[in-house]
Amino acid sequence: MTRWARRPEGSNWGEFGEDDQLGRLNLITAERRLAAVSEVREGIAFPLSLPLDFPKGEYAAGPRKQPVLASTALGHNHRFLPSVPDVVSDDYVVLHLQYSTQWDSFAHHGAVFDLDGAGEPAVCYYNGYRADVDVIGDPQGSIPPHADALGIETMAQTGMQGRGVLVDLQRAVGRDRVAVGHDQLTEIMAAQDVTVEPGDILCLHTGLTEVMLEVGDELTHETLDQCAVLDSQDDRLLQWITDSGVSAIVADNLAVEPFSLDPAPGANSVLPLHTHCLFKQGIPLGEMWYLADLARWLRAHGRSRFLLTAPPLRLPGAVGSPVSGVATV
Ligand code: UVW
């Protein structure tokens, strides 16, 4: 391989091609997309995004900020020709791309790894793409960032359409904070008669974005500690993700897994599932999706599968994007 001499343990680098930037999205073939379309039987569509100014309350004081709308020079209710009654309004927005319902691209989360085997670890990303070469930016933010590889536009160009499969964690464990590991996840899937096949997009309903809508401005940091997460300390769960063939993982919680700035004892990442999925396996992560209405409908109709269409913005160089996905049943 030209980009790396060693790949991280548990990674699939190179298996989709030396220059691959799509990872497990390669598993969404035309045949898998047709299988997804065959899940459309009622013609009912479910929007899967929060309003993009949610979450509110204490979350809004964090490093990611709510969208700020403003008018372009054309303004609002602007009458651009005195001879005709036409008026126009025209906006722009300052948008933190990962404030609300979002996709994470592979350029969002990398690791320090000795990919040359020369004893000099470098900052790198999925398939050995490198910081400063392929993913440009610096910790001080003095260089304009630009993901020349692995960015969100690469994901957008696939259309991000396939078969969604929903596991209803809230139905199994309520709104308590439970870290769901391999055994519990597979038990819940068996109880709900849910199976995943290679190429499927795994969607985890925990209930957290519904809580965000319910509490609005009253949201506190404790609110965000409600509802289930995947137990990313469970190596068997990470191996199940590898073996399952899922092409992407989506959740309605903050980060799919717990997020703490204190690594667990013995852990070499604060976000092991991000490392496993985005860095090692090329599995995009969706976070803070709104899955409650879809989950209720699927439960009432004894179903778990649907057509999912959820392209991110085709925004060159960006590492993440808001997404207004649609599930069709
Ligand atoms: C971080 O990795 C900090 O954020 P996210 O959960 O959006 O991936």
Side-chain angles (χ1 to χ4, degrees), residues 77-115:
N77 306 323
H78 176 71
R79 204 156 164 193
F80 52 96
L81 280 179
S83 56
V84 289
D86 307 60
V87 289
V88 69
S89 296
D90 207 52
D91 299 332
Y92 70 88
V93 63
V94 178
L95 186 64
H96 287 233
L97 296 170
Q98 288 160 276
Y99 181 81
S100 184
T101 306
Q102 63 182 270
W103 276 121
D104 287 346
S105 81
F106 308 145
H108 170 58
H109 189 101
V112 177
F113 177 71
D114 181 13
L115 72 183

Side-chain angles (χ1 to χ4, degrees), residues 64 102 104 108 254-255 271 274 287:
R64 295 169 176 169
Q102 63 182 270
D104 287 346
H108 170 58
L254 274 192
L271 290 162
H274 277 58
E287 296 159 340

Side-chain angles (χ1 to χ4, degrees), residues 127-243:
N127 217 8
Y129 286 95
R130 292 174 192 241
D132 301 331
V133 178
D134 306 298
V135 180
I136 313 299
D138 78 318
Q140 279 70 45
S142 54
I143 299 172
H146 201 278
D148 292 330
L150 305 179
I152 208 74
E153 69 194 293
T154 313
M155 273 175 72
Q157 283 174 266
T158 71
M160 289 304 289
Q161 185 178 56
R163 188 168 70 185
V165 179
L166 187 130
V167 180
D168 197 342
L169 299 180
Q170 181 191 269
R171 180 177 159 195
V173 304
R175 284 180 170 178
D176 292 338
R177 170 52 59 99
V178 176
V180 176
H182 170 269
D183 292 351
Q184 193 172 13
L185 179 67
T186 50
E187 278 161 26
I188 292 170
M189 290 177 67
Q192 296 180 0
D193 198 20
V194 179
T195 51
V196 289
E197 294 173 37
D200 285 344
I201 299 167
L202 176 66
C203 299
L204 302 167
H205 172 238
T206 73
L208 189 61
T209 48
E210 191 170 44
V211 173
M212 291 172 182
L213 290 174
E214 286 166 10
V215 300
D217 290 327
E218 306 306 314
L219 183 141
T220 63
H221 296 302
E222 286 72 40
T223 313
L224 300 174
D225 288 336
Q226 295 180 38
C227 299
V229 285
L230 288 188
D231 180 2
S232 48
Q233 303 299 324
D234 181 352
D235 290 337
R236 291 174 62 234
L237 177 70
L238 300 184
Q239 187 60 48
W240 178 87
I241 291 170
T242 299
D243 298 340

Side-chain angles (χ1 to χ4, degrees), residues 7-13 105-106 109-115 122-129 273-283:
R7 66 180 190 178
E9 192 185 334
S11 82
N12 60 5
W13 293 9
S105 81
F106 308 145
H109 189 101
V112 177
F113 177 71
D114 181 13
L115 72 183
V123 178
C124 56
Y125 296 86
Y126 168 73
N127 217 8
Y129 286 95
L273 185 134
H274 277 58
T275 301
H276 187 76
C277 291
L278 297 173
F279 176 63
K280 294 186 177 179
Q281 287 283 317
I283 299 174

